[in-house]
Amino acid sequence: MDKIYIENLEFRAYHGVFPEEKKLGQKFIVSLELELDTREAALSNNLEKTLHYGLISERVQSIVLEKSYDLLESLAEKIAETLLLEYPLLQGVKVRVDKPQAPIPLPFGTVAVEIYRSWHKVYLSLGSNLGEKTANLERAIQEISSLKHTSLCKKSSFLETEPFGYVEQDFFVNACIEVKTLLTAKELLASCLAIEEKMGRKRVLKWGPRNIDIDILFYDKEIYDEEDLVIPHPWIEERMFVLEPLCEIAPNYIHPILKKTIFMLKRGVEHETTV
């Protein structure tokens, strides 16, 4: 990813925990590392295809001055979030906020906080075999699209499938979607569980009937193996009800552990079922 740097923007502002800091103010220094694809701008020599350094600097100034924050962490987070939401070309941003006049009773150079934030590409699987199945999926997709700092990018067609695991139940309707989000993987998981609960999901029997099921399949290329979060989702490579709709929207996505594309994994399952 290409990068644009804006370094050492200086402001007098009123951030800090102590009342004196909020009353008297002090110097703050903000530096940015902006990630985007600059090739189209370079080839066309068109400012509209890249980021305007001056406008971004002015936007940072307005953020620094419009509100007093106790923590540098909060100020840095606000800068990163605002820039990512307001500038569609921006894919990721590193924000450093220095506070060289912090109230520390010792000789020091500076105090600083540096964070990195970016858009995340996420693939999710949805399924339903109770009630109005298609309507359940449509509602779940709408709920996901309405999450904070999350938007729908792609949606597969809806697929009727046989039940997996516990077979004495009605057929499922399944789909996969691609979203982009600023939420962390754990924040997204919590949000998906909350949507399931809001829609009345009852967890009675493993692999049993459900009105809605939402699983995070992939989160960027990241790998999680924790008690409450496993990504990539287990057994993707065995489940045609996941692979078929996922292949519609991401055939060339490479499984970060298996190192095979979704298309290749789907072909593998198809081959096994015909042998």
Side-chain angles (χ1 to χ4, degrees):
M1 189 68 68
D2 304 323
K3 296 180 181 180
I4 293 174
Y5 296 89
I6 302 176
E7 298 182 340
N8 300 327
L9 296 170
E10 290 194 19
F11 309 101
R12 184 169 186 82
Y14 300 85
H15 308 293
V17 174
F18 299 111
E20 293 81 3
E21 295 181 287
K22 295 184 181 298
K23 180 180 179 180
L24 301 175
Q26 59 189 295
K27 181 167 71 174
F28 292 85
I29 302 172
V30 177
S31 296
L32 306 173
E33 183 178 302
L34 309 166
E35 293 185 348
L36 71 159
D37 185 348
T38 65
R39 182 166 177 79
E40 187 175 358
L43 295 177
S44 64
N45 199 33
N46 185 349
L47 178 60
E48 294 182 357
K49 302 298 183 180
T50 187
L51 299 174
H52 192 303
Y53 322 143
L55 294 180
I56 287 183
S57 299
E58 290 176 357
R59 188 66 181 100
V60 171
Q61 180 184 43
S62 69
I63 297 167
V64 173
L65 299 182
E66 69 188 359
K67 179 180 177 180
S68 175
Y69 293 94
D70 289 348
L71 301 180
L72 294 181
E73 291 88 340
S74 299
L75 176 58
E77 193 74 39
K78 181 62 176 179
I79 293 171
E81 177 185 286
T82 301
L83 295 182
L84 285 165
L85 290 173
E86 294 185 2
Y87 293 88
L89 293 176
L90 187 60
Q91 297 301 308
V93 58
K94 182 183 290 184
V95 179
R96 177 184 168 111
V97 181
D98 283 76
K99 187 178 180 180
Q101 298 170 341
I104 298 175
L106 293 168
F108 72 101
T110 189
V111 171
V113 167
E114 182 177 280
I115 66 170
Y116 174 78
R117 299 291 181 264
S118 68
W119 287 107
H120 303 285
K121 180 186 291 186
V122 185
Y123 293 100
L124 301 102
S125 173
L126 302 95
S128 174
N129 77 330
L130 289 177
E132 297 295 329
K133 304 167 190 176
T134 298
N136 290 340
L137 294 193
E138 292 285 11
R139 180 184 171 188
I141 292 170
Q142 179 58 45
E143 293 281 355
I144 293 168
S145 303
S146 300
L147 292 174
K148 180 180 179 182
H149 306 336
T150 301
S151 60
L152 179 67
C153 299
K154 296 179 183 179
K155 178 177 73 172
S156 75
S157 57
F158 291 175
L159 175 71
E160 289 190 2
T161 65
E162 296 293 328
F164 179 88
Y166 177 69
V167 298
E168 298 298 323
Q169 56 181 315
D170 200 4
F171 70 88
F172 276 79
V173 175
N174 291 96
C176 287
I177 60 174
E178 176 192 313
V179 302
K180 73 172 187 176
T181 184
L182 295 181
L183 298 177
T184 66
K186 288 194 173 183
E187 289 170 341
L188 182 60
L189 174 63
S191 297
C192 289
L193 292 174
I195 291 171
E196 290 181 341
E197 183 177 359
K198 179 180 178 181
M199 292 182 62
R201 166 81 184 268
K202 305 296 183 184
R203 299 179 183 274
V204 179
L205 178 66
K206 184 177 182 180
W207 293 329
R210 69 212 73 171
N211 67 321
I212 190 62
D213 186 31
I214 306 170
D215 291 321
I216 302 174
L217 302 176
F218 301 108
Y219 183 92
D220 291 333
K221 297 291 185 180
E222 295 187 18
I223 298 171
Y224 295 84
D225 188 10
E226 303 174 14
E227 183 177 352
D228 60 343
L229 181 64
V230 179
I231 301 175
H233 195 277
W235 309 302
I236 289 174
E237 68 276 14
E238 301 175 8
R239 297 178 172 180
M240 186 59 81
F241 66 86
V242 172
L243 291 172
E244 188 165 343
L246 184 58
C247 197
E248 282 188 26
I249 61 174
N252 297 317
Y253 181 88
I254 299 175
H255 193 296
I257 296 176
L258 302 178
K259 307 302 181 184
K260 294 182 179 181
T261 66
I262 300 304
F263 176 78
M264 293 169 63
L265 294 175
K266 177 174 174 287
R267 287 291 297 271
V269 175
E270 290 172 339
H271 177 72
E272 289 177 3
T273 57
T274 57
V275 173

